[in-house]
Amino acid sequence: MEKIQHRAHCVILPYPVQGHINPMIQFSKRLAHKGIAVTFAVTEDIPINESSAGISVETISDGGYVGNRADAKMPEYLHIFRKAGTESLSKLIQKLREEGRPVDCVVYDAFLPWGLSVARDFGLFGAAFFTQSCCVNIIYYNIFKGLLRVPVLEKEISVAGLPALAVSDLPSFVRDQEAHPGSLELLAGQFEGVEDSDFVFVNSVYELEEEATDWLRKFMSVKTIGPTIPSMYLDKRLTHDKNYGLNLFKPIDTCMEWLQQQSPKSVIYISFGSMAKLEEQQMDELATALKITDKPFLWVVRSEEESKLPENFTEEASGKGLIVSWCPQLEVLAHDAIGCFVTHCGWNSTLEALSLGVPMVAVPWWSDQATNAKFVMDVWKMGLRAFPNEGGIVGHEELARCVKYVMEGERAVEMRENARKWKELTKGAVDEGGTSDRNIQEFVSTMIGGARPQE
Ligand code: UDP
């Protein structure tokens, strides 16, 4: 009798915020490109439609949370999500089975570790997906295991797999637990069950953090699969893959026309991502720094942050700078006019700057951003971190100094050269035979091989 060919099928379960959905969509596109059927399971409020890239979208429930998840009361939200998500994900897997599209693996965001239990209930593979660097993973893993005690009392921390870190290099949730109740629980909780997970994907590049990746591999099946940036900015093998496919904010079209009129490497691009809420004084310092540096600039100020801009600044700046509520960041970073990126060092923005070869001035706001900033400055050597004063504000002189140093200081050429090197390396990682490509291919081969985790 002829054997019916089963197409390997993965359900992808992201945490429903932009910085987690984008990397997991991009990973899904790579899987689909290699012949895997993908079902992307998101909460109802996420406006996503990727069926064109061979990915079907289904909804699951997080208990009906309404609002900005960055503001959610973490322990309660996660508890409700775990309950509602476990139920609705189980129903989804059952439904797909009944429709003749049985699932082989659940790729779950490490923020949602219960994804592994659901996978196991159905006898499926379970794969964790981490949206932060291996280095940051090491810090949280040590806390999860009780090997790094919080609060950290030492001035300098020495952890295997990492360079020596100052307290100011640690994620904000580790440095100041009280300011972020429940967040450390969430971040360290990512490692729940991870040693039993069949695969542990990290949106990073082996060559960017070899030592850290090798260290983690002793404890879990880590596979770096990044950078999860649309293929047309990297290896160009997925010819339709030009953007992420999800924008929770609407990009302003005029940016690219405006950039077109600027000279090569002349523009300062400033963005703090999708969540940061800056102090009014911080906005003021940034505005003053831009006046002092006297260079063209493109500044993303989200609508809800706009009222914090100094009075008349937008009018005064017109001609010299452009302020927009959101921009197509990848296109912007890829543009020849950009000379430097003043960034909060969110992991996606950092990877994008590394992949597109743009030197950075790091102004971390929260979460893992300070750790990413440390690596940008001291390990990848393609930028500077602007440090805050005692009041926690990064002053205009410090900002202006860093921007000038990165754009035209004595090490500007070296930083550009490093930026070029990382650009080549990240592209090579996802191109055929590169470290990330091989890791993805290995996973795909296991899926296509049709084995079961217990076999
Ligand atoms: N982004 C964008 N347009 C903007 C600002 C940001 O498309 O004007 C994108 C950026 O390319 C990145 C994401 O939003 O992919 C921000 O993610 P990141 O991890 O850097 O920061 P988060 O928003 O999670 O703090």
Side-chain angles (χ1 to χ4, degrees), residues 255-272:
C255 303
M256 300 317 291
E257 263 166 56
W258 182 84
L259 276 183
Q260 214 47 40
Q261 293 156 21
Q262 311 303 323
S263 328
K265 313 265 175 285
S266 67
V267 174
I268 310 168
Y269 168 57
I270 309 116
S271 162
F272 289 83

Side-chain angles (χ1 to χ4, degrees), residues 278-287 308 389 391 393-394:
L278 301 190
E279 302 267 345
E280 203 160 317
Q281 197 196 336
Q282 187 61 77
M283 297 283 268
D284 210 57
E285 298 292 342
L286 269 161
K308 298 179 192 167
N389 56 29
I393 300 288
V394 184

Side-chain angles (χ1 to χ4, degrees), residues 17-19 22 47 68 70 245-252 271-276 300-305 324-329:
V17 295
Q18 178 114 43
N22 285 357
N68 181 349
L246 172 75
N247 249 321
L248 296 183
F249 304 90
K250 193 174 165 351
I252 304 295
S271 162
F272 289 83
S274 62
M275 294 181 189
V300 177
V301 179
R302 297 190 321 275
S303 311
E304 72 266 24
E305 293 281 288
V324 294
S325 56
W326 195 249
C327 77
Q329 181 162 300

Side-chain angles (χ1 to χ4, degrees), residues 17-20 22 131 244 247 251 269 271-276 300 324-330 333 343-350 352 365-366 369:
V17 295
Q18 178 114 43
H20 285 232
N22 285 357
T131 52
Y244 285 122
N247 249 321
Y269 168 57
S271 162
F272 289 83
S274 62
M275 294 181 189
V300 177
V324 294
S325 56
W326 195 249
C327 77
Q329 181 162 300
L330 283 166
L333 288 176
T343 170
H344 68 319
C345 269
W347 185 233
N348 291 296
S349 294
T350 306
E352 288 164 10
W365 180 63
W366 78 341
Q369 294 155 12

Side-chain angles (χ1 to χ4, degrees), residues 303-357:
S303 311
E304 72 266 24
E305 293 281 288
E306 209 180 291
S307 62
K308 298 179 192 167
L309 278 168
E311 228 179 294
N312 301 330
F313 181 73
T314 313
E315 295 78 50
E316 281 169 27
S318 72
K320 194 82 198 173
L322 185 65
I323 299 171
V324 294
S325 56
W326 195 249
C327 77
Q329 181 162 300
L330 283 166
E331 260 185 87
V332 166
L333 288 176
H335 200 286
D336 189 39
I338 300 295
C340 144
F341 180 14
V342 177
T343 170
H344 68 319
C345 269
W347 185 233
N348 291 296
S349 294
T350 306
L351 274 179
E352 288 164 10
L354 282 161
S355 305
L356 297 167

